[in-house]
mmCIF file of all heavy atoms in Angstrom:
data_model
loop_
_atom_site.group_PDB
_atom_site.id
_atom_site.type_symbol
_atom_site.label_atom_id
_atom_site.label_comp_id
_atom_site.label_asym_id
_atom_site.label_seq_id
_atom_site.Cartn_x
_atom_site.Cartn_y
_atom_site.Cartn_z
ATOM 1 N N THR A 47 24.414 23.133 -40.836
ATOM 2 C CA THR A 47 23.013 23.265 -40.446
ATOM 3 C C THR A 47 22.830 23.746 -39.005
ATOM 4 O O THR A 47 21.810 24.360 -38.676
ATOM 5 C CB THR A 47 22.290 21.906 -40.642
ATOM 6 O OG1 THR A 47 20.893 22.101 -40.459
ATOM 7 C CG2 THR A 47 22.786 20.878 -39.626
ATOM 8 N N THR A 48 23.781 23.491 -38.145
ATOM 9 C CA THR A 48 23.679 23.935 -36.743
ATOM 10 C C THR A 48 24.295 25.318 -36.522
ATOM 11 O O THR A 48 24.298 25.813 -35.394
ATOM 12 C CB THR A 48 24.352 22.929 -35.809
ATOM 13 O OG1 THR A 48 25.714 22.760 -36.199
ATOM 14 C CG2 THR A 48 23.613 21.601 -35.838
ATOM 15 N N LYS A 49 24.813 25.950 -37.596
ATOM 16 C CA LYS A 49 25.447 27.254 -37.490
ATOM 17 C C LYS A 49 24.535 28.305 -38.097
ATOM 18 O O LYS A 49 24.764 28.768 -39.220
ATOM 19 C CB LYS A 49 26.814 27.248 -38.169
ATOM 20 C CG LYS A 49 27.780 26.222 -37.579
ATOM 21 C CD LYS A 49 29.112 26.216 -38.285
ATOM 22 C CE LYS A 49 30.063 25.183 -37.696
ATOM 23 N NZ LYS A 49 31.372 25.159 -38.392
ATOM 24 N N ASN A 50 23.477 28.647 -37.420
ATOM 25 C CA ASN A 50 22.519 29.609 -37.911
ATOM 26 C C ASN A 50 23.156 30.983 -38.041
ATOM 27 O O ASN A 50 23.917 31.411 -37.187
ATOM 28 C CB ASN A 50 21.309 29.685 -36.975
ATOM 29 C CG ASN A 50 20.561 28.379 -36.920
ATOM 30 O OD1 ASN A 50 20.482 27.668 -37.918
ATOM 31 N ND2 ASN A 50 20.041 28.027 -35.753
ATOM 32 N N GLY A 51 22.799 31.688 -39.112
ATOM 33 C CA GLY A 51 23.328 33.028 -39.329
ATOM 34 C C GLY A 51 24.653 33.038 -40.078
ATOM 35 O O GLY A 51 25.221 34.115 -40.317
ATOM 36 N N SER A 52 25.191 31.871 -40.447
ATOM 37 C CA SER A 52 26.454 31.805 -41.162
ATOM 38 C C SER A 52 26.276 32.296 -42.595
ATOM 39 O O SER A 52 25.334 31.856 -43.286
ATOM 40 C CB SER A 52 27.005 30.392 -41.148
ATOM 41 O OG SER A 52 28.112 30.281 -42.008
ATOM 42 N N PRO A 53 27.165 33.174 -43.106
ATOM 43 C CA PRO A 53 27.048 33.618 -44.508
ATOM 44 C C PRO A 53 27.168 32.473 -45.498
ATOM 45 O O PRO A 53 26.517 32.471 -46.554
ATOM 46 C CB PRO A 53 28.220 34.604 -44.662
ATOM 47 C CG PRO A 53 28.529 35.057 -43.270
ATOM 48 C CD PRO A 53 28.239 33.883 -42.398
ATOM 49 N N VAL A 54 28.012 31.478 -45.148
ATOM 50 C CA VAL A 54 28.157 30.302 -46.037
ATOM 51 C C VAL A 54 26.844 29.548 -46.137
ATOM 52 O O VAL A 54 26.421 29.158 -47.213
ATOM 53 C CB VAL A 54 29.274 29.388 -45.512
ATOM 54 C CG1 VAL A 54 29.387 28.127 -46.388
ATOM 55 C CG2 VAL A 54 30.594 30.125 -45.460
ATOM 56 N N LEU A 55 26.171 29.384 -45.002
ATOM 57 C CA LEU A 55 24.890 28.689 -44.986
ATOM 58 C C LEU A 55 23.857 29.460 -45.808
ATOM 59 O O LEU A 55 23.065 28.859 -46.531
ATOM 60 C CB LEU A 55 24.390 28.507 -43.563
ATOM 61 C CG LEU A 55 23.027 27.811 -43.396
ATOM 62 C CD1 LEU A 55 23.091 26.390 -43.952
ATOM 63 C CD2 LEU A 55 22.613 27.767 -41.927
ATOM 64 N N PHE A 56 23.885 30.773 -45.738
ATOM 65 C CA PHE A 56 22.942 31.601 -46.507
ATOM 66 C C PHE A 56 23.170 31.403 -47.988
ATOM 67 O O PHE A 56 22.215 31.207 -48.759
ATOM 68 C CB PHE A 56 23.124 33.078 -46.135
ATOM 69 C CG PHE A 56 22.319 33.994 -46.995
ATOM 70 C CD1 PHE A 56 20.943 34.091 -46.860
ATOM 71 C CD2 PHE A 56 22.945 34.768 -47.957
ATOM 72 C CE1 PHE A 56 20.202 34.937 -47.667
ATOM 73 C CE2 PHE A 56 22.224 35.623 -48.762
ATOM 74 C CZ PHE A 56 20.830 35.700 -48.611
ATOM 75 N N LEU A 57 24.451 31.426 -48.447
ATOM 76 C CA LEU A 57 24.730 31.217 -49.876
ATOM 77 C C LEU A 57 24.319 29.827 -50.336
ATOM 78 O O LEU A 57 23.816 29.651 -51.462
ATOM 79 C CB LEU A 57 26.235 31.426 -50.141
ATOM 80 C CG LEU A 57 26.745 32.875 -49.951
ATOM 81 C CD1 LEU A 57 28.262 32.904 -50.147
ATOM 82 C CD2 LEU A 57 26.055 33.828 -50.914
ATOM 83 N N ILE A 58 24.518 28.849 -49.471
ATOM 84 C CA ILE A 58 24.122 27.472 -49.803
ATOM 85 C C ILE A 58 22.611 27.391 -49.972
ATOM 86 O O ILE A 58 22.112 26.797 -50.949
ATOM 87 C CB ILE A 58 24.578 26.502 -48.706
ATOM 88 C CG1 ILE A 58 26.110 26.402 -48.690
ATOM 89 C CG2 ILE A 58 23.969 25.128 -48.885
ATOM 90 C CD1 ILE A 58 26.664 25.635 -47.512
ATOM 91 N N VAL A 59 21.877 27.984 -49.059
ATOM 92 C CA VAL A 59 20.410 27.939 -49.137
ATOM 93 C C VAL A 59 19.914 28.683 -50.365
ATOM 94 O O VAL A 59 18.942 28.254 -51.012
ATOM 95 C CB VAL A 59 19.805 28.505 -47.841
ATOM 96 C CG1 VAL A 59 18.290 28.662 -47.980
ATOM 97 C CG2 VAL A 59 20.142 27.631 -46.651
ATOM 98 N N VAL A 60 20.565 29.807 -50.723
ATOM 99 C CA VAL A 60 20.161 30.554 -51.914
ATOM 100 C C VAL A 60 20.283 29.695 -53.148
ATOM 101 O O VAL A 60 19.373 29.684 -54.003
ATOM 102 C CB VAL A 60 21.027 31.832 -52.042
ATOM 103 C CG1 VAL A 60 20.867 32.441 -53.446
ATOM 104 C CG2 VAL A 60 20.635 32.875 -51.010
ATOM 105 N N PHE A 61 21.386 28.951 -53.275
ATOM 106 C CA PHE A 61 21.542 28.074 -54.449
ATOM 107 C C PHE A 61 20.529 26.937 -54.420
ATOM 108 O O PHE A 61 19.953 26.576 -55.451
ATOM 109 C CB PHE A 61 22.949 27.517 -54.494
ATOM 110 C CG PHE A 61 23.152 26.598 -55.691
ATOM 111 C CD1 PHE A 61 23.418 27.114 -56.942
ATOM 112 C CD2 PHE A 61 23.014 25.220 -55.557
ATOM 113 C CE1 PHE A 61 23.560 26.292 -58.043
ATOM 114 C CE2 PHE A 61 23.155 24.377 -56.647
ATOM 115 C CZ PHE A 61 23.454 24.927 -57.898
ATOM 116 N N LEU A 62 20.288 26.368 -53.236
ATOM 117 C CA LEU A 62 19.337 25.269 -53.134
ATOM 118 C C LEU A 62 17.943 25.724 -53.521
ATOM 119 O O LEU A 62 17.150 24.934 -54.091
ATOM 120 C CB LEU A 62 19.332 24.694 -51.703
ATOM 121 C CG LEU A 62 20.610 23.958 -51.290
ATOM 122 C CD1 LEU A 62 20.503 23.523 -49.832
ATOM 123 C CD2 LEU A 62 20.864 22.756 -52.175
ATOM 124 N N TYR A 63 17.587 26.972 -53.243
ATOM 125 C CA TYR A 63 16.303 27.511 -53.653
ATOM 126 C C TYR A 63 16.262 27.713 -55.185
ATOM 127 O O TYR A 63 15.206 27.553 -55.805
ATOM 128 C CB TYR A 63 16.033 28.850 -52.966
ATOM 129 C CG TYR A 63 15.324 28.736 -51.652
ATOM 130 C CD1 TYR A 63 15.974 28.288 -50.498
ATOM 131 C CD2 TYR A 63 13.979 29.090 -51.537
ATOM 132 C CE1 TYR A 63 15.310 28.176 -49.287
ATOM 133 C CE2 TYR A 63 13.317 28.987 -50.332
ATOM 134 C CZ TYR A 63 13.991 28.545 -49.196
ATOM 135 O OH TYR A 63 13.315 28.430 -48.017
ATOM 136 N N ALA A 64 17.395 28.079 -55.778
ATOM 137 C CA ALA A 64 17.437 28.344 -57.194
ATOM 138 C C ALA A 64 17.410 27.065 -58.046
ATOM 139 O O ALA A 64 16.882 27.055 -59.157
ATOM 140 C CB ALA A 64 18.678 29.163 -57.547
ATOM 141 N N PHE A 65 17.976 25.992 -57.496
ATOM 142 C CA PHE A 65 18.135 24.748 -58.265
ATOM 143 C C PHE A 65 16.828 24.190 -58.841
ATOM 144 O O PHE A 65 16.757 23.894 -60.051
ATOM 145 C CB PHE A 65 18.837 23.702 -57.412
ATOM 146 C CG PHE A 65 18.883 22.323 -58.032
ATOM 147 C CD1 PHE A 65 19.728 22.088 -59.097
ATOM 148 C CD2 PHE A 65 18.089 21.303 -57.564
ATOM 149 C CE1 PHE A 65 19.775 20.824 -59.683
ATOM 150 C CE2 PHE A 65 18.121 20.064 -58.147
ATOM 151 C CZ PHE A 65 18.961 19.809 -59.197
ATOM 152 N N PRO A 66 15.751 24.012 -58.035
ATOM 153 C CA PRO A 66 14.525 23.427 -58.611
ATOM 154 C C PRO A 66 13.926 24.264 -59.745
ATOM 155 O O PRO A 66 13.404 23.702 -60.703
ATOM 156 C CB PRO A 66 13.568 23.367 -57.393
ATOM 157 C CG PRO A 66 14.453 23.389 -56.193
ATOM 158 C CD PRO A 66 15.608 24.267 -56.587
ATOM 159 N N GLY A 67 13.980 25.591 -59.615
ATOM 160 C CA GLY A 67 13.420 26.438 -60.667
ATOM 161 C C GLY A 67 14.257 26.468 -61.914
ATOM 162 O O GLY A 67 13.748 26.362 -63.026
ATOM 163 N N VAL A 68 15.587 26.602 -61.751
ATOM 164 C CA VAL A 68 16.471 26.707 -62.908
ATOM 165 C C VAL A 68 16.499 25.391 -63.697
ATOM 166 O O VAL A 68 16.416 25.398 -64.933
ATOM 167 C CB VAL A 68 17.901 27.084 -62.463
ATOM 168 C CG1 VAL A 68 18.876 27.027 -63.624
ATOM 169 C CG2 VAL A 68 17.908 28.478 -61.846
ATOM 170 N N HIS A 69 16.593 24.288 -62.986
ATOM 171 C CA HIS A 69 16.614 23.010 -63.716
ATOM 172 C C HIS A 69 15.285 22.719 -64.400
ATOM 173 O O HIS A 69 15.238 22.165 -65.517
ATOM 174 C CB HIS A 69 16.970 21.844 -62.772
ATOM 175 C CG HIS A 69 17.030 20.520 -63.461
ATOM 176 N ND1 HIS A 69 16.158 19.511 -63.204
ATOM 177 C CD2 HIS A 69 17.840 20.086 -64.463
ATOM 178 C CE1 HIS A 69 16.422 18.472 -63.984
ATOM 179 N NE2 HIS A 69 17.439 18.809 -64.753
ATOM 180 N N SER A 70 14.192 23.082 -63.761
ATOM 181 C CA SER A 70 12.878 22.899 -64.415
ATOM 182 C C SER A 70 12.776 23.762 -65.657
ATOM 183 O O SER A 70 12.155 23.373 -66.657
ATOM 184 C CB SER A 70 11.738 23.267 -63.426
ATOM 185 O OG SER A 70 11.703 22.350 -62.356
ATOM 186 N N LEU A 71 13.388 24.968 -65.641
ATOM 187 C CA LEU A 71 13.394 25.819 -66.811
ATOM 188 C C LEU A 71 14.190 25.181 -67.942
ATOM 189 O O LEU A 71 13.801 25.254 -69.114
ATOM 190 C CB LEU A 71 13.978 27.195 -66.452
ATOM 191 C CG LEU A 71 13.760 28.324 -67.421
ATOM 192 C CD1 LEU A 71 12.256 28.612 -67.582
ATOM 193 C CD2 LEU A 71 14.460 29.583 -66.953
ATOM 194 N N ILE A 72 15.308 24.530 -67.593
ATOM 195 C CA ILE A 72 16.091 23.805 -68.604
ATOM 196 C C ILE A 72 15.268 22.669 -69.187
ATOM 197 O O ILE A 72 15.308 22.413 -70.408
ATOM 198 C CB ILE A 72 17.399 23.265 -67.969
ATOM 199 C CG1 ILE A 72 18.310 24.430 -67.577
ATOM 200 C CG2 ILE A 72 18.125 22.329 -68.936
ATOM 201 C CD1 ILE A 72 19.568 23.994 -66.851
ATOM 202 N N LEU A 73 14.513 21.962 -68.339
ATOM 203 C CA LEU A 73 13.677 20.858 -68.830
ATOM 204 C C LEU A 73 12.591 21.384 -69.788
ATOM 205 O O LEU A 73 12.236 20.710 -70.754
ATOM 206 C CB LEU A 73 13.019 20.162 -67.658
ATOM 207 C CG LEU A 73 13.949 19.328 -66.756
ATOM 208 C CD1 LEU A 73 13.157 18.719 -65.597
ATOM 209 C CD2 LEU A 73 14.650 18.232 -67.539
ATOM 210 N N ILE A 74 12.078 22.576 -69.523
ATOM 211 C CA ILE A 74 11.055 23.135 -70.402
ATOM 212 C C ILE A 74 11.622 23.392 -71.784
ATOM 213 O O ILE A 74 11.013 23.027 -72.812
ATOM 214 C CB ILE A 74 10.509 24.462 -69.805
ATOM 215 C CG1 ILE A 74 9.653 24.172 -68.568
ATOM 216 C CG2 ILE A 74 9.678 25.229 -70.834
ATOM 217 C CD1 ILE A 74 9.179 25.408 -67.845
ATOM 218 N N PHE A 75 12.823 23.984 -71.870
ATOM 219 C CA PHE A 75 13.406 24.308 -73.163
ATOM 220 C C PHE A 75 14.024 23.085 -73.861
ATOM 221 O O PHE A 75 14.389 23.172 -75.040
ATOM 222 C CB PHE A 75 14.464 25.413 -73.003
ATOM 223 C CG PHE A 75 13.871 26.772 -72.767
ATOM 224 C CD1 PHE A 75 13.922 27.339 -71.497
ATOM 225 C CD2 PHE A 75 13.258 27.467 -73.772
ATOM 226 C CE1 PHE A 75 13.360 28.592 -71.270
ATOM 227 C CE2 PHE A 75 12.689 28.710 -73.552
ATOM 228 C CZ PHE A 75 12.737 29.281 -72.308
ATOM 229 N N SER A 76 14.139 21.974 -73.155
ATOM 230 C CA SER A 76 14.596 20.732 -73.785
ATOM 231 C C SER A 76 13.429 19.865 -74.216
ATOM 232 O O SER A 76 13.630 18.817 -74.827
ATOM 233 C CB SER A 76 15.503 19.953 -72.831
ATOM 234 O OG SER A 76 14.797 19.550 -71.671
#
């Protein structure tokens, strides 16, 4: 979190953004 601009941090944030939407989509189809 204190290493701004890190590619690893960017990939982590991308997944964290995807998680709420993707899991909610799974809940819809279940």
